[in-house]
């Protein structure tokens, strides 16, 4: 195939180091960087990783929205605890909220860990290195067509090349199994429930801020619901993490 299309892209030092390590292996002694990238692109298309990345990004979006709701709940905890002490001499509810606050912080860490695992690439590192790729015009057209088709991914040409290299070099792409799809749907439902109850918690905090009295039984009911959904979140995030470690 005539490689008449010259493409430039930028990569960071870490990715360049991985490329050089791969090229130093005996198996890749006949490769240069351009050939290695072509192999990674071919692998990306053969495994239909556009669809994988798109579906994974949906899960990441849900996880990030869930984390945002949980972070909002944490910001309301201290002021709610302070106001509760005015309504009851019992420290049971206050202590329960303190424990729940610690559980929320741990859950946010679990979500961060899962998001990091699922991310197709880290695009925050400084890209000081320029690499050159030569490909046929038909392959280039195929790449650009797919980037347009999967616009939800927000790939440009350089991001696509970095992503294809990541999956080819790391071998860390994971199957979207039927079980993972079921878990993702359950997570979406759970995230919706967490969002609803976090709004209730935010409303309680607002009422306290404007010195409006809130029935203590209503507070208990809201936080009991939140505790249940938090437990469901813990199980779903851990199951998704385990399922996401299953390679093709």
């Amino acid at each position: 195939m005539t490689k008449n299309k010259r493409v430039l892209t930028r990569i960071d030092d870490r990715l360049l180091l991985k490329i050089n390590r791969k090229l130093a292996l005996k198996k890749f002694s006949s490769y240069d960087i351009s050939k290695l990238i072509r192999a990674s692109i071919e692998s990306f298309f053969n495994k239909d990783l556009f669809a994988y990345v798109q579906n994974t990004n949906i899960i990441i979006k849900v996880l990030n929205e869930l984390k945002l709701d949980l972070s909002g709940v944490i910001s309301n905890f201290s002021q709610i605890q302070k106001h509760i002490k005015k309504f009851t001499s019992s420290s049971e509810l206050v202590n329960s909220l303190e424990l729940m606050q610690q559980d929320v912080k741990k859950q946010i860490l679990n979500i961060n860990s899962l998001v990091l695992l699922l991310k197709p690439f880290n695009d925050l590192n400084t890209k000081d290195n320029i690499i050159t790729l030569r490909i046929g015009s038909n392959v280039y057209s195929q790449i650009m067509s797919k980037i347009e088709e999967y616009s939800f991914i927000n790939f440009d040409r350089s991001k696509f090349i970095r992503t294809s290299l990541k999956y080819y070099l790391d071998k860390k792409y994971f199957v979207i199994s039927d079980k993972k799809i079921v878990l993702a749907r359950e997570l979406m439902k759970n995230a919706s429930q967490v969002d609803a109850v976090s709004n209730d918690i935010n409303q309680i905090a607002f009422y306290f801020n404007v010195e409006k009295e809130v029935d203590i039984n209503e507070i208990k009911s809201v936080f009991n619901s939140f505790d249940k959904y938090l437990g469901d979140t813990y199980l779903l995030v851990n199951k998704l993490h385990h399922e996401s470690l299953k390679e093709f």
Side-chain angles (χ1 to χ4, degrees), residues 105-188:
K105 291 178 179 178
K106 290 177 183 177
Q107 187 55 64
I108 289 175
L109 291 177
N110 287 343
I111 291 173
N112 285 339
S113 177
L114 180 55
V115 169
L116 185 63
L117 173 67
L118 295 176
K119 271 188 175 180
F121 58 86
N122 184 351
D123 211 33
L124 299 178
N125 298 330
T126 303
K127 300 163 193 65
D128 295 322
N129 309 290
I130 298 176
I131 56 177
T132 304
L133 162 69
R134 289 192 175 275
I135 53 177
S137 295
N138 58 332
V139 175
Y140 180 81
S141 297
Q142 186 181 19
I143 291 170
M144 301 311 293
S145 175
K146 280 289 186 179
I147 288 174
E148 183 177 353
E149 178 184 351
Y150 287 89
S151 57
F152 181 85
I153 299 176
N154 293 323
F155 273 169
D156 57 22
R157 190 182 60 203
S158 290
K159 284 183 180 180
F160 165 70
I161 291 173
R162 287 193 293 273
T163 303
S164 65
L165 276 167
K166 169 187 165 60
Y167 288 129
Y168 191 70
L169 295 172
D170 295 350
K171 303 297 183 184
K172 288 185 179 179
Y173 45 84
F174 308 99
V175 64
I176 299 286
S177 63
D178 290 342
K179 183 176 179 180
K180 191 170 181 179
I181 291 172
V182 170
L183 288 170
R185 287 173 177 166
E186 289 181 14
L187 180 71
M188 291 175 189

Side-chain angles (χ1 to χ4, degrees), residues 13-118:
D13 291 339
R14 185 179 299 178
L15 185 53
L16 181 62
L17 179 61
K18 288 181 180 179
I19 291 172
N20 288 333
R21 283 176 175 172
K22 183 68 72 173
L23 293 175
L25 297 176
K26 185 177 181 180
K27 178 181 177 181
F28 292 92
S29 59
S30 64
Y31 282 56
D32 57 14
I33 288 181
S34 185
K35 185 176 180 180
L36 185 71
I37 298 173
R38 289 196 296 274
S40 72
I41 291 172
E42 182 180 1
S43 174
F44 198 91
F45 274 97
N46 287 343
K47 293 180 171 64
D48 192 21
L49 294 184
F50 276 102
Y52 167 76
V53 174
Q54 184 181 45
N55 292 332
T56 300
N57 277 355
I58 294 172
I59 298 174
I60 291 173
K61 183 175 183 290
V62 173
L63 287 167
N64 284 332
E65 290 173 350
L66 181 59
K67 184 175 70 173
L68 188 63
D69 282 332
L70 294 177
S71 298
V73 169
I74 287 178
S75 67
N76 288 321
F77 263 111
S78 57
Q79 57 181 311
I80 290 176
Q81 288 170 321
K82 178 181 176 182
H83 286 286
I84 284 175
K85 292 175 182 177
K86 297 179 181 179
F87 294 102
T88 176
S89 59
S90 172
S91 61
E92 182 180 351
L93 181 56
V94 173
N95 292 338
S96 177
L97 293 183
E98 287 176 353
L99 292 174
M100 198 179 299
Q101 185 174 18
Q102 295 305 314
D103 287 342
V104 173
K105 291 178 179 178
K106 290 177 183 177
Q107 187 55 64
I108 289 175
L109 291 177
N110 287 343
I111 291 173
N112 285 339
S113 177
L114 180 55
V115 169
L116 185 63
L117 173 67
L118 295 176

